[in-house]
Every structure is written in structure tokens, then in C-alpha cells.
Amino acid sequence: MLQIFLQGFAVYFIVWWITLFAVLPIGLRTQAEDNDIVLGTVHSAPTRFRAVFVFSMTTLISAIIYALWYIASNYFGWGFDALPQIGPSFSNV
């Protein structure tokens, strides 16, 4: 039971981490756009980092993606083996 929980948590964490980088630029205002450049920072640095917004949106979107993956894998039987093989197969060597 613990192994199943840890596997599910690992998948959710990977999805969450990838989603974080997709959510980070949403609504971002740079210092150059706001004409409020702090000395010693780059012009593309954010004016105000909204951590609560970014982490809550990441968690919400990741939960939706994880739920879709869970339904697809447990109820429809879709898994990584169902994906088409892109590279060559070396099993006949």
C-alpha cells in the first residue's frame, strides 16, 4: 500500500514540477515593463513575485492533470506501453 502511494506521489510531484515552469510566466510583470528597475538586478526580473498565485495555480493544474492520468491508467488501461515507439527496437539483436 505504501509503495502505491509513493509511486502516485512521485508521478504527482513530477507533474507539479513541470507545470510550475509553465505557470511561472503567467501574469508576470517585469521591472522594465513597470519602469521600476532596482539597481543590481536585470531588467527582466519580476517586479513582484506572486508566490501564492503561482503555487496555487500549479497545484490546481497539476491535480487536474494527475486526475486525468489516474483515470486513463486505472479505468481505461492506458499506460506508457500504449504509446507508439518512436525509436528503433534493439530487442531482436
Side-chain angles (χ1 to χ4, degrees), residues 1 7 9 20 22-23 32 36 42 55-57 73-77 80 83-84 87-88 90 92:
M1 181 68 179
Q7 287 174 348
F9 181 75
L20 173 67
V23 171
D36 184 25
V42 293
F55 293 143
S56 61
M57 286 299 294
S73 65
N74 287 332
Y75 294 109
F76 296 117
F80 291 113
L83 297 174
F90 298 108
N92 294 334

Side-chain angles (χ1 to χ4, degrees), residues 1 4 16 21 29 34 43 54 59 66 79 82 84 90:
M1 181 68 179
I4 295 171
W16 190 91
F21 291 105
R29 300 271 314 162
D34 290 340
H43 300 291
V54 170
T59 303
Y66 181 79
F90 298 108

Side-chain angles (χ1 to χ4, degrees), residues 14-90:
I14 292 169
V15 169
W16 190 91
W17 194 255
I18 292 171
T19 307
L20 173 67
F21 291 105
V23 171
L24 273 175
I26 296 175
L28 178 72
R29 300 271 314 162
T30 64
Q31 293 179 10
E33 291 174 338
D34 290 340
N35 292 326
D36 184 25
I37 300 170
V38 178
L39 290 176
T41 62
V42 293
H43 300 291
S44 60
T47 304
R48 185 175 56 112
F49 179 62
R50 301 176 306 169
V52 174
F53 172 76
V54 170
F55 293 143
S56 61
M57 286 299 294
T58 301
T59 303
L60 177 68
I61 294 170
S62 298
I64 293 169
I65 293 171
Y66 181 79
L68 291 173
W69 171 80
Y70 184 82
I71 291 169
S73 65
N74 287 332
Y75 294 109
F76 296 117
W78 297 344
F80 291 113
D81 294 334
L83 297 174
Q85 182 178 354
I86 296 172
S89 176
F90 298 108

